[in-house]
Amino acid sequence: MLQVLSHRSYRHLFLAQVTALVGTGLTTVALALLAHDLAAGKAGIVLGTALAIKMVAYVGIAPLVGAYASHLPRRTLLVSLDLLRASVVCALPFVTEVWQIYVLIFLISAASAGFTPVFQATIPDLLENEEQYIRALSLSRLAYDLENLLSPMAAAALLMVMSFDVLFLLNGLAFLVSAGLVVSVVLPSPQASDDETPNVWCRVSHGMGIYLKTPRLRGLLALNMVVSAAGAMQIVNTVVYVRSALGLGEQAVAMVFAAVGGGSMLVALLLPKMLERVRERPVMLAGGALMTVSLFLGLLAPGLVGLMGLWFLLGAGASLVMTPTGRLLKQSCQPEDRPALFAAQFSLSHGCWLVAYPLAGWVGAEVGLIETFVLLGAIALVSTELATRVWPSWDPIVLEHDHAPMEHTHLHYHDDHHQHAHEGWEGLEPHRHPHYHQVGLHRHAFVIDSHHTKWPS
């Protein structure tokens, strides 16, 4: 897995990701403790609301950035968003009112909503070899898992010698280091998109259209809901469960958060070899089932060790779903559509979190934690079953399909879809001119694009 780090540009981007993740992990713990200081027993409501606001920013901003990402300089965009995140997170130590948390979380999240999809869509352009890209996905997932494991442990150690406010400043420093690493490499320019429409809605909805018309991605959306239900329970209610129900301290909160990273990291280490022999569908469905079972085990009202075990299983299940996601997206679109499709995944998956976070916070505070386990477990069960139905077990990459007659204009090369006569004025390839497609039957790797607007039955 580590061989992929011999690629200098990817290595710097990976280190930028790791640095930003570690800082964000410190902020996750610090934000939970800040909410507990400001709202005490209502900390779950504050966290649930703050994270719902975060999801609103993700859902709204990501498609806008994805629509125009192919027209923007990648490095300038990524560095600017890192600097914005650094400046905003450094304001969190000075918060004295709950509403101030909400405003700052929205600003940080808006910047992240622009940064993450562009960052993710850049990696397959850097690593065009499929095997390298699979390793990079697993390494990226491992980075998330190590952050979940090590950041809470580091936070627990730092909290022994400093107040949690300092963790916010360390996150700001991490974003600055991330920006410096991005500056140090030259990134490939995004491939030109065929879409020249000035209509903002058409641009924004382009990635969504590809996503929702692709059966395997509809299954992924249902599994995103499972990840959100399990993750919301863990993120929102860990501090409430450990501090209020179990009566334990800050270090115990960090330990329970770390258990999630342990489960997720174990799966990320084992998954690359597994994906060489097994398709994504059974692996990801197994992850959904594991998270569902783990939520229902919460009905046993576990103690500290039992809760760490449940969270370990939740982390393992989430990694089974999320690690293959980038590969699934890459094989479901044309290269020029990657920014739009990655943005659609970012937006739709966080739309699931937008539902799950308030449920976890409000039901946990107003009804009870056991009842919240039941509700979110039921959502995970229904969503896993839905994924098995909308994602066919027979899901080949290459499909035989008919082409309806079509006349349109877009930037193109003379590939299998474009064998037509010219008059001499059209210019060198790639070029753009009106052209006609006849009725035809053929086989190739099928994705939704300007020539294939409907999935074949």
Side-chain angles (χ1 to χ4, degrees):
M1 192 188 300
L2 296 178
Q3 290 176 353
V4 72
L5 292 177
S6 61
H7 191 294
R8 180 181 179 275
S9 295
Y10 174 73
R11 182 172 67 249
H12 283 227
L13 286 185
F14 176 73
L15 292 174
Q17 177 196 21
V18 169
T19 305
L21 283 173
V22 170
T24 303
L26 298 179
T27 290
T28 299
V29 176
L31 185 61
L33 296 172
L34 175 62
H36 192 271
D37 271 10
L38 293 179
K42 299 293 185 181
I45 294 178
V46 173
L47 276 178
T49 305
L51 295 172
I53 291 172
K54 176 180 177 179
M55 296 307 111
V56 169
Y58 282 178
V59 171
I61 301 297
L64 288 172
V65 176
Y68 293 93
S70 60
H71 303 278
L72 300 173
R74 279 176 169 169
R75 187 168 64 172
T76 302
L77 177 62
L78 293 174
V79 170
S80 300
L81 292 172
D82 255 344
L83 295 177
L84 175 60
R85 292 194 292 183
S87 61
V88 175
V89 79
C90 286
L92 280 169
F94 306 102
V95 164
T96 56
E97 301 289 339
V98 169
W99 68 267
Q100 295 168 353
I101 293 180
Y102 298 155
V103 172
L104 294 177
I105 287 296
F106 179 84
L107 292 175
I108 294 172
S109 303
S112 295
F115 184 95
T116 304
V118 174
F119 181 92
Q120 292 172 335
T122 302
I123 303 304
D125 289 341
L126 282 175
L127 305 173
E128 296 183 356
N129 178 274
E130 182 73 14
E131 184 178 347
Q132 280 194 323
Y133 182 56
I134 293 171
R135 290 176 178 174
L137 289 177
S138 294
L139 195 60
S140 179
R141 186 68 232 174
L142 186 61
Y144 282 102
D145 302 335
L146 285 171
E147 180 270 312
N148 283 334
L149 180 65
L150 298 179
S151 292
M153 294 171 64
L158 291 170
L159 288 169
M160 295 179 182
V161 296
M162 63 182 65
S163 70
F164 65 78
D165 287 348
V166 181
L167 301 183
F168 294 126
L169 300 179
L170 292 176
N171 189 13
L173 178 62
F175 284 138
L176 292 177
V177 173
S178 172
L181 286 165
V182 174
V183 167
S184 69
V185 296
V186 176
L187 301 181
S189 299
Q191 296 197 32
S193 172
D194 291 342
D195 186 12
E196 290 189 323
T197 176
N199 187 298
V200 174
W201 171 246
C202 289
R203 286 182 176 272
V204 169
S205 62
H206 178 60
M208 295 284 187
I210 296 173
Y211 196 109
L212 297 176
K213 291 178 181 178
T214 305
R216 68 176 72 96
L217 297 186
R218 292 200 293 267
L220 173 61
L221 180 57
L223 290 172
N224 284 332
M225 190 68 241
V226 184
V227 173
S228 303
M233 186 67 201
Q234 171 249 321
I235 293 171
V236 173
N237 287 319
T238 291
V239 66
V240 179
Y241 196 100
V242 174
R243 295 295 300 272
S244 301
L246 300 181
L248 301 174
E250 295 177 354
Q251 285 73 29
V253 173
M255 288 171 57
V256 174
F257 274 124
V260 181
S264 190
M265 182 175 64
L266 177 63
V267 169
L269 287 170
L270 298 176
L271 211 51
K273 288 294 184 183
M274 186 186 304
L275 289 175
E276 291 177 5
R277 303 187 301 271
V278 183
R279 290 293 302 275
E280 295 89 348
R281 184 180 184 272
V283 171
M284 297 173 75
L285 291 176
L290 182 59
M291 285 183 282
T292 301
V293 171
S294 303
L295 285 171
F296 281 121
L297 287 175
L299 297 176
L300 301 176
L304 178 62
V305 175
L307 184 65
M308 291 178 67
L310 288 189
W311 272 201
F312 182 90
L313 294 177
L314 287 181
S319 189
L320 285 170
V321 172
M322 299 310 298
T323 302
T325 292
R327 183 183 179 187
L328 214 62
L329 295 170
K330 179 176 179 283
Q331 69 190 26
S332 299
C333 69
Q334 300 289 1
E336 63 270 20
D337 290 328
R338 283 177 192 156
L341 189 62
F342 274 85
Q345 159 65 10
F346 189 83
S347 181
L348 290 170
S349 63
H350 287 91
C352 297
W353 288 95
L354 179 58
V355 174
Y357 272 139
L359 283 176
W362 285 92
V363 176
E366 301 296 336
V367 181
L369 293 178
I370 299 300
E371 290 80 0
T372 310
F373 273 116
V374 173
L375 175 61
L376 295 178
I379 291 173
L381 178 62
V382 171
S383 299
T384 302
E385 173 63 21
L386 180 62
T388 64
R389 293 179 179 274
V390 301
W391 185 352
S393 56
W394 187 76
D395 183 31
I397 303 300
V398 175
L399 287 174
E400 186 174 70
H401 55 281
D402 285 309
H403 274 276
M406 175 188 298
E407 183 171 4
H408 61 174
T409 302
H410 66 93
L411 190 69
H412 64 275
Y413 289 92
H414 289 170
D415 54 22
D416 290 342
H417 285 96
H418 299 92
Q419 297 298 322
H420 46 246
H422 292 87
E423 298 175 4
W425 55 268
E426 294 86 357
L428 298 176
E429 299 179 40
H431 54 205
R432 180 180 282 103
H433 62 83
H435 56 276
Y436 178 75
H437 294 272
Q438 297 181 342
V439 177
L441 174 68
H442 61 174
R443 291 173 57 87
H444 59 75
F446 190 94
V447 296
I448 298 295
D449 57 19
S450 58
H451 298 102
H452 311 86
T453 57
K454 183 180 179 181
W455 200 264
S457 59

